[in-house]
Amino acid sequence: MDNLVELFCAVDDFCHQFILQWETQLITDGTRKRKRSSAMSFGERMTIMISFHQSNHRDFKNFYIGLVQRYWTEYFPTLISYTRFINTMSELIVPMCAYFETVKGKPTGISFVDSTSLKVCHNIRIPRNKVFAKTGKRGKGTMGWFFGFKLHLLINHQGEILALNISPGNTNDRTPIPDLCRNLTGKLYADKGYIGNKLTEKLKRSDIDLVTTVRKNMKRKVISAFDRAMLSKRYIIETVNGQLKNISQIEHSRHRSEAGFMLNVISGIVAYCVKKQKPRIKISKSELETMAV
């Protein structure tokens, strides 16, 4: 349980600094409302959410009732019921997003971008979906049509997540790129879905060199051997997407609210960020220096 204690200490230290500043900046409408505080702190509840996405459990209910309430009571002495925990989960979205900003990676000069689908229901149940009827959209990816959202991910060559964006499923992959690359410089590698002269020129003005593969009906571009090697290793971001879906469980069809969906996604991403072993590309210092020339 050393990892659990270590995770709680890091999360709780962050919460002690963030929560007070956050609550003082909240805007109210002037009416007095009853606010029932939870017996568990923000740090405890965030630790449980992150731990769920690090475990092998497929649904949160079995994780909370079968593991947390049976074996972790000594670590969480003021543990609340499962129903009460679910009712307070929406409070964790903003702190979890803020915590992501502290655990995300830093630019290394070599970045990869890609998008992946976040399906919220099976295709045959699209007409009956009420939770995401107004926000989810139909989109098409490499695996066919889906209903839900897209996760746009930006990572460095060490497998660390630099930025992310969640958009409706019908969003063009190129649309969120300028916002994702706001604090980025260097090489950005992507697939042919990101080809576009306007996007390339816009990124170039921000000192970002967009390198993509080419379509079959396009002329081959002359690129350096280093860029060709990095394009061949673009599978790293697909590996990250696979771990987010299969290990961190950021995609499932059991959501009962939009708030639950958002917390599930960001908690799973934070769980990946705090993981020590990540997929990475080994690049020597001499290769990095060659790229900079």
Side-chain angles (χ1 to χ4, degrees), residues 41-85:
S41 66
F42 278 91
E44 289 176 316
R45 286 179 287 160
M46 288 173 62
T47 300
I48 289 176
M49 287 301 304
I50 297 171
S51 298
F52 163 66
H53 291 281
Q54 291 178 333
S55 69
N56 293 322
H57 285 76
R58 295 292 175 175
D59 66 276
F60 184 74
K61 185 175 183 179
N62 287 332
F63 169 78
Y64 193 85
I65 296 176
L67 178 63
V68 179
Q69 289 187 332
R70 289 187 64 183
Y71 302 105
W72 287 7
T73 52
E74 61 178 306
Y75 297 100
F76 303 99
T78 57
L79 198 65
I80 57 180
S81 67
Y82 168 75
T83 303
R84 175 60 181 157
F85 192 97

Side-chain angles (χ1 to χ4, degrees), residues 14-56:
F14 163 79
C15 288
H16 280 305
Q17 297 180 2
F18 174 77
I19 298 300
L20 289 176
Q21 298 180 8
W22 173 48
E23 289 181 341
T24 56
Q25 296 177 13
L26 293 177
I27 300 175
T28 63
D29 58 3
T31 59
R32 297 182 62 182
K33 297 180 181 179
R34 181 175 179 266
K35 183 178 180 181
R36 180 186 173 190
S37 59
S38 174
M40 297 183 70
S41 66
F42 278 91
E44 289 176 316
R45 286 179 287 160
M46 288 173 62
T47 300
I48 289 176
M49 287 301 304
I50 297 171
S51 298
F52 163 66
H53 291 281
Q54 291 178 333
S55 69
N56 293 322

Side-chain angles (χ1 to χ4, degrees), residues 1-245:
M1 289 299 173
D2 292 339
N3 292 335
L4 180 64
V5 175
E6 182 181 346
L7 174 62
F8 170 74
C9 291
V11 174
D12 197 54
D13 288 344
F14 163 79
C15 288
H16 280 305
Q17 297 180 2
F18 174 77
I19 298 300
L20 289 176
Q21 298 180 8
W22 173 48
E23 289 181 341
T24 56
Q25 296 177 13
L26 293 177
I27 300 175
T28 63
D29 58 3
T31 59
R32 297 182 62 182
K33 297 180 181 179
R34 181 175 179 266
K35 183 178 180 181
R36 180 186 173 190
S37 59
S38 174
M40 297 183 70
S41 66
F42 278 91
E44 289 176 316
R45 286 179 287 160
M46 288 173 62
T47 300
I48 289 176
M49 287 301 304
I50 297 171
S51 298
F52 163 66
H53 291 281
Q54 291 178 333
S55 69
N56 293 322
H57 285 76
R58 295 292 175 175
D59 66 276
F60 184 74
K61 185 175 183 179
N62 287 332
F63 169 78
Y64 193 85
I65 296 176
L67 178 63
V68 179
Q69 289 187 332
R70 289 187 64 183
Y71 302 105
W72 287 7
T73 52
E74 61 178 306
Y75 297 100
F76 303 99
T78 57
L79 198 65
I80 57 180
S81 67
Y82 168 75
T83 303
R84 175 60 181 157
F85 192 97
I86 294 298
N87 291 336
T88 63
M89 284 174 63
S90 59
E91 301 174 357
L92 305 179
I93 297 177
V94 173
M96 195 71 77
C97 291
Y99 187 58
F100 165 73
E101 293 295 323
T102 68
V103 297
K104 68 180 183 180
K106 297 180 180 179
T108 60
I110 300 175
S111 307
F112 299 85
V113 67
D114 198 9
S115 68
T116 186
S117 62
L118 293 177
K119 292 175 283 189
V120 295
C121 71
H122 193 278
N123 285 349
I124 63 175
R125 293 195 294 272
I126 293 176
R128 303 197 302 270
N129 188 286
K130 297 181 180 179
V131 178
F132 302 99
K134 295 182 180 180
T135 53
K137 300 294 181 181
R138 298 192 190 212
K140 189 176 183 181
T142 55
M143 302 301 291
W145 289 95
F146 68 94
F147 177 78
F149 303 87
K150 277 186 179 181
L151 173 65
H152 306 267
L153 213 60
L154 182 71
I155 69 170
N156 59 23
H157 74 279
Q158 297 174 337
E160 298 172 334
I161 298 176
L162 304 178
L164 63 94
N165 182 285
I166 300 173
S167 67
N170 59 354
T171 304
N172 190 294
D173 288 345
R174 296 188 293 265
T175 303
I177 296 301
D179 288 334
L180 286 175
C181 302
R182 190 173 299 169
N183 300 316
L184 191 70
T185 57
K187 297 278 189 177
L188 176 62
Y189 297 96
D191 61 21
K192 44 196 164 190
Y194 295 86
I195 296 175
N197 293 330
K198 290 183 179 179
L199 178 61
T200 302
E201 293 299 324
K202 188 171 185 177
L203 293 178
K204 190 173 293 185
R205 289 194 292 269
S206 300
D207 200 22
I208 301 173
D209 184 15
L210 178 62
V211 183
T212 64
T213 54
V214 296
R215 298 189 178 97
K216 293 181 179 179
N217 60 349
M218 296 176 62
K219 294 182 178 179
R220 290 186 174 274
K221 296 187 296 184
V222 178
I223 60 175
S224 65
F226 182 86
D227 287 344
R228 192 177 298 108
M230 288 300 101
L231 283 175
S232 68
K233 296 181 182 296
R234 204 186 56 80
Y235 60 81
I236 182 176
I237 193 167
E238 296 174 359
T239 303
V240 174
N241 284 330
Q243 291 193 6
L244 288 174
K245 288 186 175 183

